């Protein structure tokens, strides 16, 4: 996930996890999600009140991956450029 604040002040969170998005958007409690602490149910309330909006993003476009995992060089360059970082020139 990564954050982007748009001009209206709403926080836009891009997420590449369908499981996380379905847990956030589901109003029913499932047996699989019962182990999740109540503190982690806050995203559901934030989205309902309009403070935060969760959107799906392709895992191939998730710029946060550059901070979270090892990437092949081409993907690393693409993501670092996407977040505004540039490699030092020699």
């Amino acid at each position: 996930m990564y954050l982007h604040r748009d001009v209206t002040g709403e926080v836009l969170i891009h997420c590449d996890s369908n499981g996380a998005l379905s847990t956030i958007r589901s109003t029913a409690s499932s047996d699989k999600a019962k182990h999740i602490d109540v503190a982690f149910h806050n995203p559901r309330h934030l989205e309902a009140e309009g403070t935060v909006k969760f959107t799906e993003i392709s895992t191939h476009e998730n710029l946060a991956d550059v901070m979270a995992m090892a990437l092949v060089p081409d993907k690393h360059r693409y993501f670092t450029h996407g977040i505004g970082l540039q490699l030092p020139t020699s």
Side-chain angles (χ1 to χ4, degrees):
M1 288 187 209
Y2 70 93
L3 299 177
H4 175 265
R5 184 177 283 279
D6 70 16
V7 293
T8 64
E10 178 181 68
V11 175
L12 184 60
I13 299 179
H14 301 279
C15 181
D16 64 355
S17 169
N18 289 328
L21 289 172
S22 65
T23 300
I24 290 166
R25 293 184 177 143
S26 173
T27 56
S29 179
S30 74
D31 288 337
K32 293 180 182 178
K34 284 187 179 182
H35 72 281
I36 298 173
D37 192 335
V38 174
F40 296 106
H41 291 239
N42 196 37
R44 184 178 299 155
H45 300 294
L46 292 174
E47 186 171 60
E49 69 184 19
T51 304
V52 172
K53 179 174 174 145
F54 292 91
T55 62
E56 186 176 349
I57 189 169
S58 165
T59 199
H60 302 293
E61 298 294 323
N62 191 353
L63 300 177
D65 282 353
V66 74
M67 304 293 200
M69 61 182 63
L71 301 168
V72 295
D74 288 339
K75 228 177 182 184
H76 185 269
R77 277 190 291 278
Y78 174 77
F79 286 160
T80 52
H81 178 72
I83 62 173
L85 297 176
Q86 295 181 353
L87 298 173
T89 57
S90 30

